[in-house]
């Protein structure tokens, strides 16, 4: 009898703790969440890198500490099931650095692969911000979340929501890009290199 009462009290205590510390995780997008006729085209165009989160500083976020801002563009590649991701990265020293990646799209999943990085997986997550997307990048060395927006300036509420979801998922290190300098011209950056 005592054990049953004790178990019941522990159960009630657990419910109370859950009610007090509600943790809302970012919802991973599934094939049912999207119209496959539109995927991935609804992500084409320009995106601004706003923030990142990781479970530890090195090496997950370390490479981003020298960045002031980044503008990305996603478009179709010439071959099917491939997305071209171009970036114009403004360093804190003022330089513009071009980068380019190829994302590999699977017919049966929303997870993206990265050409040349078979161990890297990129997953898409929903956000309360309708003009934002959260990506989780995972490989044997790193696991991190990224917040991207269609606009360079975001409402602080959306940044706080991303940070809260990141902490709930175990990503306690947070980096918000300063965006103190002018964005690099994406076209000029890629044609001059």
């Amino acid at each position: 009898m005592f054990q049953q009462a004790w178990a019941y009290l522990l159960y009630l205590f657990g419910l109370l703790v859950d009610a007090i510390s509600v943790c809302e995780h970012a919802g991973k997008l599934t094939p049912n969440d999207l119209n496959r006729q539109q995927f991935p085209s609804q992500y084409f165009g320009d995106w601004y890198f706003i923030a990142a989160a990781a479970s530890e500083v090195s090496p997950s976020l370390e490479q981003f500490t020298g960045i002031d801002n980044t503008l990305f563009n996603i478009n179709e590649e010439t071959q099917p099931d491939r997305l071209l991701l171009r970036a114009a990265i403004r360093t804190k020293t003022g330089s513009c650095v071009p980068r380019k990646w190829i994302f590999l799209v699977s017919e049966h999943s929303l997870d993206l692969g990265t050409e040349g990085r078979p161990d890297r997986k990129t997953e898409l997550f929903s956000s309360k911000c309708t003009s934002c997307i959260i990506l989780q990048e995972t490989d044997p060395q790193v696991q991190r979340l990224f917040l991207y927006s269609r606009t360079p300036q975001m409402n602080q509420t959306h940044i706080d929501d991303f940070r809260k979801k990141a902490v709930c998922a175990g990503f306690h290190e947070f980096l918000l890009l300063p965006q103190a300098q002018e964005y690099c011209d994406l076209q000029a950056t890629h044609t001059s290199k």
Side-chain angles (χ1 to χ4, degrees):
M1 176 76 168
F2 177 74
Q3 286 181 331
Q4 287 178 330
W6 182 246
Y8 183 71
L9 282 174
L10 286 176
Y11 171 76
L12 289 176
F13 179 74
L15 288 176
L16 177 65
V17 168
D18 283 345
I20 292 172
S21 62
V22 174
C23 222
E24 183 182 341
H25 297 278
K28 182 179 177 193
L29 296 178
T30 66
N32 293 337
D33 294 327
L34 295 176
N35 178 341
R36 287 301 282 197
Q37 302 302 319
Q38 293 179 349
F39 180 78
S41 63
Q42 73 265 37
Y43 298 110
F44 290 173
D46 292 346
W47 291 92
Y48 296 88
F49 177 23
I50 304 297
S55 55
E56 55 187 56
V57 175
S58 181
S60 295
L61 296 183
E62 195 172 84
Q63 72 188 77
F64 303 110
T65 58
I67 295 174
D68 180 78
N69 64 61
T70 302
L71 172 61
F72 286 95
N73 181 274
I74 301 175
N75 264 306
E76 287 181 292
E77 233 272 316
T78 54
Q79 299 174 28
D81 298 328
R82 294 163 56 95
L83 303 176
L84 174 61
L85 176 66
R86 296 179 309 131
I89 301 167
R90 172 75 73 185
T91 66
K92 288 183 178 176
T93 62
S95 301
C96 289
V97 180
R99 289 286 187 262
K100 183 169 58 172
W101 300 267
I102 301 291
F103 277 150
L104 308 172
V105 180
S106 168
E107 186 177 320
H108 305 291
S109 170
L110 294 181
D111 297 346
L112 303 171
T114 305
E115 185 177 73
R117 300 290 306 261
D119 57 344
R120 180 165 288 169
K121 178 172 73 169
T122 302
E123 301 170 275
L124 303 170
F125 289 82
S126 63
S127 170
K128 287 182 182 175
C129 170
T130 57
S131 62
C132 301
I133 188 70
I134 297 172
L135 300 181
Q136 180 173 329
E137 189 176 79
T138 307
D139 68 31
Q141 285 78 41
V142 297
Q143 185 174 8
R144 52 195 173 203
L145 289 176
F146 297 107
L147 176 63
Y148 297 94
S149 173
R150 290 287 191 183
T151 61
Q153 302 304 317
M154 286 189 65
N155 183 313
Q156 187 63 41
T157 304
H158 295 305
I159 294 170
D160 293 343
D161 180 59
F162 169 74
R163 189 174 200 163
K164 183 178 172 183
K165 287 178 178 179
V167 168
C168 285
F171 297 99
H172 298 282
E173 298 297 328
F174 183 76
L175 174 72
L176 181 65
L177 293 186
Q179 300 178 326
Q181 300 179 46
E182 184 178 330
Y183 277 84
C184 298
D185 182 298
L186 191 63
Q187 298 303 331
T189 302
H190 281 273
T191 55
S192 66
K193 300 285 178 185

